Amino acid sequence: MGVGCQNRNRRSGELVVGSPQSSAASLRAMAVPPSGPQKTFLNTCLKLCRRAAGASTMLPSLVVSALFILLTLVLANGARRLLDRLVKDSFMRLLLQEAIAAFELCACCFELIIVADNFGVSAYGIFLFLLTIWWAFNWGDATACPYTHIEDVVLGNTDIRTAVLISAFELAGGMISFKYVQLLWSLEISETHRDRAFGECFTDLQVPVLYGAAIEGTATCLCRIASNALSEFKPRFSTAIDSFISTSLVVAAFDYSGGYFNPVLATSLKYGCRGNTLIEHVVVYWVGASLGAVASVFVYQHPTVQKLLFGHKEKEE
């Protein structure tokens, strides 16, 4: 699933998304359900919720997934508005905006795993395309993606400490999202949610580690170059074009590395899943994507690329 090259970029206004492929949940999906009185209480609550939701007659699964995603978008948007009213310090507000954006991104992509597993990559791609457009218009200065801050460090726009701090808030928001997802999945309102809340998860990496890192890095580089070019050209429907490019790259990498293009997304959804060690996960989804993002800075600024992209424009000016 691809939601990494689709994070919001403060400088260019584009989204940088990465993707979760069709697997089970994540490390937290392997958590052991509560036991004893807690389990009895939880089961009672779930039965009541199922009755209230009419779960005895299952809603159409795709409709449930769409409503799940819509609920997440509404909650995240409400949290952002509340944050704007209550938090006056601009830097603290940015940190919390990043956490909210990462939470929203990862929670939606957990559900996109359900969509991909049960309705195919085409349905997944349509959902992702629409979501990336929504995020581009609603995330403000947030990116929910660590390598955008690494780019800022390379360009001299921020320092390493700030980049690490922002990335930590993003990672926290992404990791917390599973508890929210687990709660909703536990309701089992649709057939596709059955046994997913506490099920096993497996890695999306289907190629050797170095190949996976190369795929994540190359696709991230291409995505960032396209986004930066669109932000300068500012063509009509640039957001939709950017979303189409990122979604296409995600779908292309879907069966190989999962097409995450976002370290926070990959870690929140797949860290600890069977099939990869910690080192392999970091190499593919953190090192690979981050090197691709850094490479995009230098490739984009190269005179040959600038001339290729903007040569005619400069002559007109």
Side-chain angles (χ1 to χ4, degrees):
M1 180 182 293
V3 188
C5 179
Q6 218 243 23
N7 267 341
R8 183 82 183 175
N9 186 317
R10 294 188 302 278
R11 297 182 304 279
S12 61
E14 92 281 359
L15 211 56
V16 184
V17 182
S19 138
Q21 189 189 353
S22 64
S23 309
S26 71
L27 171 64
R28 285 132 345 261
M30 295 188 289
V32 178
S35 58
Q38 291 181 339
K39 182 176 181 179
T40 302
F41 176 75
L42 178 59
N43 286 337
T44 302
C45 291
L46 292 181
K47 287 179 182 178
L48 292 174
C49 290
R50 287 169 187 161
R51 289 179 182 177
S56 56
T57 56
M58 289 288 182
L59 293 174
S61 298
L62 191 58
V63 173
V64 172
S65 290
L67 291 175
F68 175 99
I69 292 172
L70 180 61
L71 173 64
T72 304
L73 299 181
V74 170
L75 291 176
N77 197 49
R80 275 190 290 269
R81 292 188 178 186
L82 186 63
L83 184 66
D84 289 339
R85 292 181 181 179
L86 299 180
V87 181
K88 303 303 180 183
D89 182 79
S90 59
F91 184 63
M92 179 55 67
R93 187 165 58 247
L94 174 61
L95 292 176
L96 295 176
Q97 285 173 344
E98 291 285 4
I100 293 171
F103 176 94
E104 179 182 5
L105 171 68
C106 295
C108 288
C109 287
F110 268 117
E111 191 61 31
L112 287 186
I113 293 176
I114 301 293
V115 173
D117 281 350
N118 294 278
F119 304 102
V121 178
S122 297
Y124 157 75
I126 293 171
F127 271 89
L128 180 61
F129 173 72
L130 296 175
L131 282 170
T132 56
I133 294 176
W134 168 267
W135 291 326
F137 284 113
N138 288 276
W139 277 5
D141 290 336
T143 69
C145 189
Y147 58 62
T148 59
H149 316 303
I150 297 176
E151 291 179 19
D152 284 337
V153 172
V154 172
L155 293 169
N157 296 327
T158 190
D159 57 82
I160 296 178
R161 185 175 64 176
T162 299
V164 171
L165 183 58
I166 295 175
S167 298
F169 270 75
E170 292 170 345
L171 186 59
M175 298 296 279
I176 291 172
S177 69
F178 181 74
K179 286 301 179 182
Y180 160 79
V181 172
Q182 192 176 51
L183 174 62
L184 294 184
W185 282 358
S186 295
L187 299 177
E188 296 185 351
I189 296 175
S190 76
E191 190 70 31
T192 53
H193 285 168
R194 283 193 171 178
D195 302 322
R196 297 304 291 261
F198 299 101
E200 273 190 311
C201 69
F202 300 90
T203 180
D204 288 335
L205 186 63
Q206 304 300 314
V207 296
V209 171
L210 293 182
Y211 288 1
I215 291 171
E216 290 284 315
T218 301
T220 297
C221 181
L222 293 174
C223 186
R224 299 298 292 152
I225 290 173
S227 293
N228 286 327
L230 286 170
S231 70
E232 290 201 40
F233 273 120
K234 293 181 174 61
R236 192 178 182 185
F237 306 120
S238 60
T239 300
I241 295 171
D242 189 28
S243 297
F244 177 80
I245 292 173
S246 62
T247 301
S248 298
L249 288 169
V250 164
V251 171
F254 190 86
D255 291 327
Y256 302 99
S257 67
Y260 288 85
F261 315 153
N262 184 329
V264 162
L265 180 67
T267 295
S268 298
L269 270 63
K270 293 298 174 180
Y271 170 68
C273 292
R274 290 190 178 185
N276 283 142
T277 65
L278 171 61
I279 298 299
E280 290 171 340
H281 177 88
V282 170
V283 168
V284 174
Y285 299 110
W286 284 82
V287 176
S290 296
L291 288 179
V294 171
S296 74
V297 173
F298 296 103
V299 171
Y300 186 75
Q301 292 179 341
H302 194 278
T304 301
V305 175
Q306 288 291 306
K307 184 176 181 180
L308 178 65
L309 293 174
F310 306 109
H312 298 295
K313 181 179 177 181
E314 291 175 354
K315 288 180 181 179
E316 291 176 1
E317 293 175 348

